[in-house]
Amino acid sequence: MNPGRYNISVVQGTTFQLSPSWLIDNLPVDLTGYTADMQVRDVSNNLITELSTANGRIVLTPTQGIINLTLTAAQTAALAVGNYNYGLNLTAPGGAVYQILQGAFVISASQVQ
């Protein structure tokens, strides 16, 4: 299975929320028992930030196949402006890991007026 591609843009100091769904044949995948992890990395593969079900930055809506991703305004304020990459992985109860989404993760400076 090839992951979908979606580029994300975040403004420092703002709340980031995204809720993609995992669908197969237009039907939601039941995520009961799954865990999720999304790592944002720079070109040298250094970890910039991580969202996961373990740290509470990802919350799954299992029967609807929805993956709710969130970073608070304080969390995005702490991220350096730059162009990064991410991958969103889901781990099934049996241990199989699926990368369902990947792409650019761009953090831009807030434009105060």
Side-chain angles (χ1 to χ4, degrees):
M1 178 178 97
N2 291 325
R5 180 137 186 102
Y6 184 78
N7 296 327
I8 296 171
S9 295
V10 179
V11 176
Q12 273 182 325
T14 65
T15 300
F16 163 72
Q17 293 179 310
L18 183 68
S19 296
S21 299
W22 188 17
L23 305 173
I24 296 178
D25 295 328
N26 279 338
L27 297 173
V29 174
D30 186 347
L31 301 177
T32 301
Y34 278 69
T35 59
D37 181 82
M38 182 176 122
Q39 294 186 341
V40 178
R41 294 186 175 271
D42 65 16
V43 294
S44 298
N45 208 32
N46 297 308
L47 183 64
I48 302 305
T49 192
E50 183 172 23
L51 294 79
S52 69
T53 48
N55 68 18
R57 294 177 180 179
I58 299 179
V59 175
L60 302 177
T61 306
T63 58
Q64 297 175 14
I66 299 173
I67 304 113
N68 300 290
L69 312 167
T70 304
L71 288 171
T72 66
Q75 290 165 335
T76 66
L79 299 174
V81 170
N83 296 316
Y84 307 105
N85 294 301
Y86 78 93
L88 174 61
N89 296 324
L90 292 173
T91 303
V97 178
Y98 304 96
Q99 185 165 93
I100 64 161
L101 207 55
Q102 65 181 10
F105 193 95
V106 178
I107 302 168
S108 58
S110 176
Q111 301 297 317
V112 180
Q113 299 197 8

